[in-house]
Amino acid sequence: MEAGDCIFCNIVNGRTDTVLEMESDDFAIFKDIKPAAQHHYLIVPKEHYDSLKTLNKSHIKMVSLMEEEMKNFFVSKGISTADALYGFHFPPFISVKHLHMHGIAPRSQMPFVSRMMFRPSTAWFKTAQDALAYLRTKAV
């Protein structure tokens, strides 16, 4: 996919009005446009990857850092990590073909439909830990 065609590439490169809540050399965090709870953010790598399915064992560190940075961001905003959910939708159940991890809190206050959309360890949604386990099985 060309970077100009990817909305998340455009966001992380400052070509939209989206506010970046946090930015590092490798990632950006911004609010989800359809929040599933009071706090719903996405962490997106600046380098374009279509999805979790296109990654392999060599990306384990990146996915671990995505989770760590999202948790650190929550702590910096005073958002409890005790009732939070971190994870990825798995193709074909993705709306944007650019790897992104959801950080959602409080998980316990998600409406029913959101609980189904972000149900951990399903065919359509993988927690960060599920994602890491999946990547460990993929060749480099």
Side-chain angles (χ1 to χ4, degrees):
M1 172 176 286
E2 294 294 320
D5 296 335
C6 174
I7 185 64
F8 286 175
C9 286
N10 289 334
I11 289 170
V12 300
N13 289 300
R15 295 191 293 261
T16 71
D17 293 334
T18 302
V19 174
L20 298 182
E21 303 286 334
M22 185 286 300
E23 184 176 15
S24 69
D25 290 340
D26 300 316
F27 308 109
I29 295 177
F30 50 91
K31 289 183 179 180
D32 192 295
I33 62 169
K34 295 180 183 175
Q38 180 181 0
H39 306 287
H40 188 166
Y41 294 90
L42 303 177
I43 184 166
V44 177
K46 289 187 174 180
E47 185 174 340
H48 183 93
Y49 301 95
D50 279 356
S51 71
L52 185 63
K53 198 171 184 177
T54 63
L55 304 182
N56 61 47
K57 197 178 281 191
S58 71
H59 298 99
I60 288 173
K61 183 177 179 183
M62 179 184 70
V63 170
S64 294
L65 283 172
M66 289 174 74
E67 181 183 27
E68 182 181 327
E69 293 220 11
M70 182 66 85
K71 286 179 177 179
N72 290 340
F73 171 75
F74 273 23
V75 169
S76 76
K77 292 288 191 180
I79 301 168
S80 173
T81 57
D83 189 21
L85 176 64
Y86 310 97
F88 304 84
H89 280 107
F90 199 79
F93 307 101
I94 56 174
S95 56
V96 177
K97 283 189 175 183
H98 185 124
L99 182 69
H100 56 283
M101 176 188 287
H102 294 264
I104 304 169
R107 178 181 180 178
S108 61
Q109 294 180 16
M110 292 168 55
F112 177 77
V113 171
S114 294
R115 287 184 199 178
M116 292 300 101
M117 287 177 57
F118 297 96
R119 188 172 177 189
S121 306
T122 57
W124 58 90
F125 188 79
K126 307 295 182 194
T127 66
Q129 294 309 304
D130 293 335
L132 292 169
Y134 168 76
L135 293 177
R136 287 185 194 100
T137 69
K138 303 263 309 227
V140 177

